[in-house]
Amino acid sequence: MRCQFADGSYHWMRIICKTIYDEEQNPLDAIGKLSNIDSEMAKKDRLRDQAQRDGLTRLYNAESSRELMTDQLSTLQMGERCALLILDIDHFKSINDTYGHLAGDAALSRAAQAIRSAIRTGDELVRYGGDEFLLLFHDMPRNALKKKLESIRAAVESLEFPEYPGLRITVSIGCAHAVGPLADTVQKADQALYHAKAAKNRTVLYKEDLQ
């Protein structure tokens, strides 16, 4: 259990206790010991974090993100407008083929940083797999959504890679308003992404841009 000490600090403690009985098996007392297990709990937290996060970008991975986003979508407040985005790095295979896999890793890592810098603290960004990212916006007004999509696209496009002359990256973005189960919302965002990738370096909002 986590206990507060007299100095106000908190520590994880393991309590081992044994009951002492009398001749008639009535409990008389207890004896035991308390052990500080802060280091053990910290190690468990690190291992849990490593299992949940992508090693390259340090974002949540696809497996952990499904549970995280499902929980968040299930607790939406009445009238709250959320949006789900799928972002795909354009021509990612050719980046690896032309500049090497280290350049591909740099593209993924810096794209993640650029996207994170363009969004709010509470918005959830995860690495969905390969060169795809998934992003959940909380309470994003409709009139602000298109501007935010464009700011994300522009943030990635402005990245520079001085160690890889000539390398520039762009992203295609598909977005859908989060209504209903996570799987349905992802499917709609993926449909929008399909249309965005047809032109590359473009943002497409489900239905509004598919009329």
Side-chain angles (χ1 to χ4, degrees):
M1 63 185 298
R2 191 166 180 262
C3 304
Q4 184 178 21
F5 282 58
D7 63 358
S9 63
Y10 285 86
H11 298 279
W12 284 102
M13 306 297 296
R14 175 178 288 117
I15 303 171
I16 301 175
C17 188
K18 181 178 181 180
T19 306
I20 300 174
Y21 298 90
D22 62 18
E23 295 177 353
E24 297 179 353
Q25 297 301 305
N26 296 313
L28 287 178
D29 211 337
I31 186 171
K33 68 175 183 178
L34 281 74
S35 304
N36 184 310
I37 58 169
D38 281 343
S39 60
E40 180 182 327
M41 295 301 292
K43 182 178 180 180
K44 287 183 177 180
D45 287 342
R46 287 195 299 271
L47 291 173
R48 184 183 303 112
D49 187 69
Q50 289 172 5
Q52 292 178 335
R53 292 186 182 274
D54 168 60
L56 178 64
T57 62
R58 300 307 302 154
L59 300 175
Y60 281 110
N61 56 36
E63 188 63 33
S64 59
S65 69
R66 289 188 187 94
E67 181 177 352
L68 175 71
M69 293 190 175
T70 297
D71 289 344
Q72 292 182 350
L73 289 178
S74 68
T75 59
L76 291 182
Q77 301 299 314
M78 183 66 69
E80 184 177 357
R81 300 289 298 185
C82 291
L84 187 140
L85 290 66
I86 302 179
L87 306 92
D88 188 290
I89 296 180
D90 297 325
H91 308 293
F92 186 70
K93 184 179 183 302
S94 68
I95 294 174
N96 284 326
D97 292 344
T98 303
Y99 296 94
H101 288 280
L102 289 179
D105 288 348
L108 288 167
S109 180
R110 292 183 207 175
Q113 294 173 9
I115 297 166
R116 173 56 70 193
S117 70
I119 62 178
R120 303 167 301 184
T121 301
D123 297 324
E124 298 293 345
L125 175 66
V126 304
R127 186 178 177 189
Y128 200 53
D131 59 330
E132 282 190 343
F133 298 90
L134 196 118
L135 172 60
L136 180 64
F137 278 135
H138 294 274
D139 202 17
M140 175 65 70
R142 180 182 291 272
N143 59 357
L145 182 55
K146 289 288 284 185
K147 290 182 179 179
K148 180 58 68 174
L149 297 181
E150 177 57 25
S151 70
I152 293 171
R153 187 204 61 75
V156 176
E157 187 179 29
S158 67
L159 286 172
E160 296 182 354
F161 300 84
E163 71 273 42
Y164 300 107
L167 174 59
R168 302 302 290 264
I169 63 172
T170 60
V171 288
S172 297
I173 303 174
C175 178
H177 291 289
V179 179
L182 177 62
D184 291 348
T185 305
V186 170
Q187 184 179 23
K188 292 173 182 176
D190 197 50
Q191 183 178 341
L193 176 65
Y194 175 81
H195 289 272
K197 286 190 71 64
K200 303 289 189 300
N201 195 21
R202 180 186 173 202
T203 66
V204 173
L205 181 59
Y206 180 78
K207 278 200 172 179
E208 288 188 16
D209 294 333
L210 300 179
Q211 300 293 338

